[in-house]
Amino acid sequence: MPSPRAEVSDVAVSPDHFIGGKRVSSPTTFEVRSPLDWDWKLADVARGDALTADKAVTAAVDAFPSWAGLPTAGRATHLRRLADAIDDNIEDLATVECADMAMLLESLRARVIHRGADNLRNYADLATGYEGRRWSSKGTENFVQRMPAGPAVIITPWNAPWLLSTWKIAPALAAGNTVILKPAEWSPLSASLLADLADDSGLPPGVLNIVQGFGEEVGAALVGDRRVRRISFTGSPETGRRIGQSAARNIVPFTAELGGKGPFVVFADADLDAAARKAAGQYDDSGQVCLAGTRLLVEESIADAFLDLFNAYTDKHVLGDSRSPSTTISPMIHPDHLARVEGFVSRALDAGDRIMRGGHRWKDDGLWYEPTLIEPRDNYSEVVQREVFGPVLTFQRFADEPEAVALANSTEYGLSAIVYTGSEERAHRVGSAIRAGTVWVNTFLVRDLTAPFGGCRISGIGREGGDHALDFHSDLKTLQISEGSVG
């Protein structure tokens, strides 16, 4: 029997799993609380286990033949209906996402929730518009075709649950795969609303299944199931390694986006005001953004002037309730994560790094942390080399372009980078020299959904976005027919 729905700011949310088109409860639950006020319990959510994982994979396996057998245009119609349902429910989705993980409500209303609908429509269009390669060779006509791969497990992080859930399920469904989505246990509620919308819009049972719980319990069972044919994960390198081992044992293709430590490089010929304003913007969402440029690398000759502008823009930030239009910096997701960020800053002080601003909780009774800037003792400082994932940036000076590139490439990460310069030649030269999956020049977070997305080194493996994601979720076939032998 389904559990009673929880009321989250007057929005009814099911706390149960969604498997085979039905709500499924679990014998045990876990609490979900709001970062906006840790005394605010949002729901007791079903806690999945190995049995839950087995049920979800079985439902996906059973639904796969008919879903994969639909013409691409038929699957695209379902995705577009779901996109329309999202657009019709932006307010409810934004309200729940804000309460669940504290992203700014105005941002959710204006951009983020609609982006989920865009993800679905984009992949519907790409899948229906696909034209496989055709060519003649050695007396044969050759055709490259995409075949749906099978059930796909998708595991998303807590920091952008709605955006990344829709970003990942869209190509999997468009390619003809069925999906088991496991959202992060700290922010699972918008995924539950997605299940309702999928059901209401007529997505066939078992095509999209959603299970909740902890990675070491239900997550491990999902990625270890031999019936799963694709795995897509976003999270930490440590968890990525464990999932990769399970994927390797079962010979399952696997993509992973595993965080970053992006350089934000500012040259003397840059528009300093624009660079400083964008650098202060790296504190958005309390720095809980994998693509953020967290290492400020500034040319020596303009470093002091840049700092003055940067501090002025940072001073304009407003820490507060994410539901308030005046707030620009939200609380952090969870007390455990706040403690983790505090640990980084404390160890930086102990190691001789210098706190240039911030370095403390904003309020004793909340999850906010002050925008913090640290000048490290050297480039080997932990706060330079490891992802903090909070409102903590580092500041380093460089003498010339070769040193800037060397510093930019000096960590194990390689997800993204930001460069500010007034020189077109330098933009191409430095942009090409930096080892990262995405390099922005004189801008930030401009995303084309058709572009490849992913990281180098420990920032990840594989690429998502556009045809790259559709190819990943497909088995590619070459069909060869002897010329003149048919027709």
Side-chain angles (χ1 to χ4, degrees):
M1 175 180 291
S3 304
R5 290 185 171 245
E7 293 291 328
V8 179
S9 297
D10 297 325
V11 180
V13 183
S14 173
D16 290 339
H17 314 291
F18 183 73
I19 299 174
K22 298 179 180 179
R23 289 293 178 176
V24 177
S25 61
S26 284
T28 59
T29 62
F30 62 95
E31 286 187 349
V32 174
R33 293 182 174 272
S34 176
L36 302 176
D37 178 354
W38 202 245
D39 291 332
W40 182 14
K41 187 172 81 169
L42 301 176
D44 289 308
V45 174
R47 182 170 179 166
D49 55 16
L51 180 60
T52 313
D54 179 74
K55 289 178 180 177
V57 176
T58 298
V61 168
D62 290 346
F64 175 70
S66 58
W67 181 250
L70 274 181
T72 305
R75 296 195 296 267
T77 296
H78 280 288
L79 265 61
R80 293 188 182 106
R81 287 175 183 162
L82 178 53
D84 291 343
I86 289 169
D87 281 340
D88 290 341
N89 289 273
I90 284 177
E91 185 63 29
D92 284 355
L93 289 162
T95 296
V96 170
E97 187 88 328
C98 178
D100 200 19
M101 61 79 57
M103 187 177 288
L104 299 180
L105 183 58
E106 288 301 309
S107 177
L108 288 163
R109 284 171 171 159
R111 295 180 298 278
V112 175
I113 302 301
H114 177 68
R115 169 72 180 274
D118 281 349
N119 287 336
L120 291 159
R121 293 190 182 102
N122 178 72
Y123 281 104
D125 292 344
L126 282 173
T128 54
Y130 174 68
E131 295 182 4
R133 183 186 172 200
R134 302 177 59 173
W135 74 102
S136 298
S137 173
K138 299 180 180 180
T140 64
E141 288 295 318
N142 299 268
F143 307 84
V144 174
Q145 300 173 340
R146 285 175 175 156
M147 299 183 294
V153 167
I154 291 171
I155 300 177
T156 52
W158 50 259
N159 65 309
W162 174 259
L163 198 60
L164 288 175
S165 292
T166 55
W167 160 254
K168 286 176 178 287
I169 70 167
L173 296 177
N177 297 342
T178 51
V179 168
I180 308 102
L181 169 66
K182 193 203 88 65
E185 60 268 21
W186 284 355
S187 55
L189 299 184
S190 62
S192 183
L193 292 182
L194 178 63
D196 289 339
L197 296 178
D199 194 34
D200 292 345
S201 63
L203 197 68
V207 171
L208 175 63
N209 307 276
I210 297 174
V211 297
Q212 299 153 153
F214 294 83
E216 60 270 23
E217 297 171 357
V218 70
L222 287 171
V223 300
D225 194 306
R226 295 175 64 88
R227 296 171 293 174
V228 168
R229 299 314 309 150
R230 291 294 185 273
I231 300 172
S232 177
F233 169 73
T234 297
S236 71
E238 293 76 22
T239 303
R241 289 186 181 100
R242 291 195 294 272
I243 294 175
Q245 289 168 356
S246 293
R249 279 193 295 270
N250 293 332
I251 319 297
V252 177
F254 165 58
T255 62
E257 190 267 277
L258 305 175
K261 194 69 184 175
F264 190 116
V265 186
V266 184
F267 288 96
D269 60 4
D271 180 337
L272 285 193
D273 186 78
R277 183 171 63 252
K278 194 64 71 176
Q282 305 307 296
Y283 291 123
D284 290 352
D285 291 323
S286 284
Q288 300 169 137
V289 179
C290 59
L291 293 165
T294 59
R295 295 182 292 134
L296 305 184
L297 308 175
V298 184
E299 193 164 355
E300 177 69 44
S301 63
I302 48 93
D304 291 339
F306 172 86
L307 273 175
D308 288 342
L309 290 166
F310 170 82
N311 282 320
Y313 280 115
T314 302
D315 289 341
K316 294 181 180 180
H317 275 303
V318 177
L319 285 73
D321 192 316
S322 301
R323 294 166 292 188
S324 169
S326 63
T327 296
T328 63
I329 295 185
S330 54
M332 306 197 73
I333 183 71
H334 194 280
D336 290 351
H337 189 58
L338 175 59
R340 180 179 181 273
V341 171
E342 288 181 309
F344 270 101
V345 176
S346 176
R347 291 191 298 275
L349 275 171
D350 291 343
D353 298 340
R354 183 169 72 94
I355 309 298
M356 302 178 73
R357 68 172 298 146
H360 302 283
R361 293 191 185 202
W362 178 57
K363 294 171 68 175
D364 292 336
D365 60 347
L367 298 181
W368 290 267
Y369 198 79
E370 295 177 347
T372 296
L373 186 65
I374 298 176
E375 186 173 38
R377 184 179 60 179
D378 57 45
N379 196 52
Y380 301 102
S381 170
E382 179 194 44
V383 78
V384 173
Q385 294 295 323
R386 288 187 59 199
E387 185 178 41
V388 178
F389 217 60
V392 178
L393 310 181
T394 59
F395 179 80
Q396 296 169 270
R397 303 165 190 251
F398 63 84
D400 52 27
E401 187 177 302
E403 185 181 12
V405 171
L407 287 171
N409 289 335
S410 67
T411 76
E412 291 186 284
Y413 295 90
L415 183 61
S416 62
I418 303 165
V419 177
Y420 269 79
T421 177
S423 164
E424 182 177 358
E425 292 79 8
R426 175 174 281 145
H428 287 280
R429 190 168 59 242
V430 174
S432 298
I434 291 177
R435 294 281 300 169
T438 301
V439 179
W440 286 285
V441 179
N442 298 335
T443 188
F444 174 59
L445 217 54
V446 176
R447 290 284 295 121
D448 182 334
L449 296 179
T450 65
F453 176 78
C456 308
R457 296 176 285 194
I458 69 166
S459 281
I461 182 171
R463 289 294 182 270
E464 298 180 83
D467 284 328
H468 307 275
L470 289 170
D471 283 344
F472 167 74
H473 281 290
S474 306
D475 287 321
L476 298 183
K477 174 197 294 183
T478 301
L479 176 65
Q480 288 186 300
I481 302 175
S482 176
E483 291 179 343
S485 66
V486 295

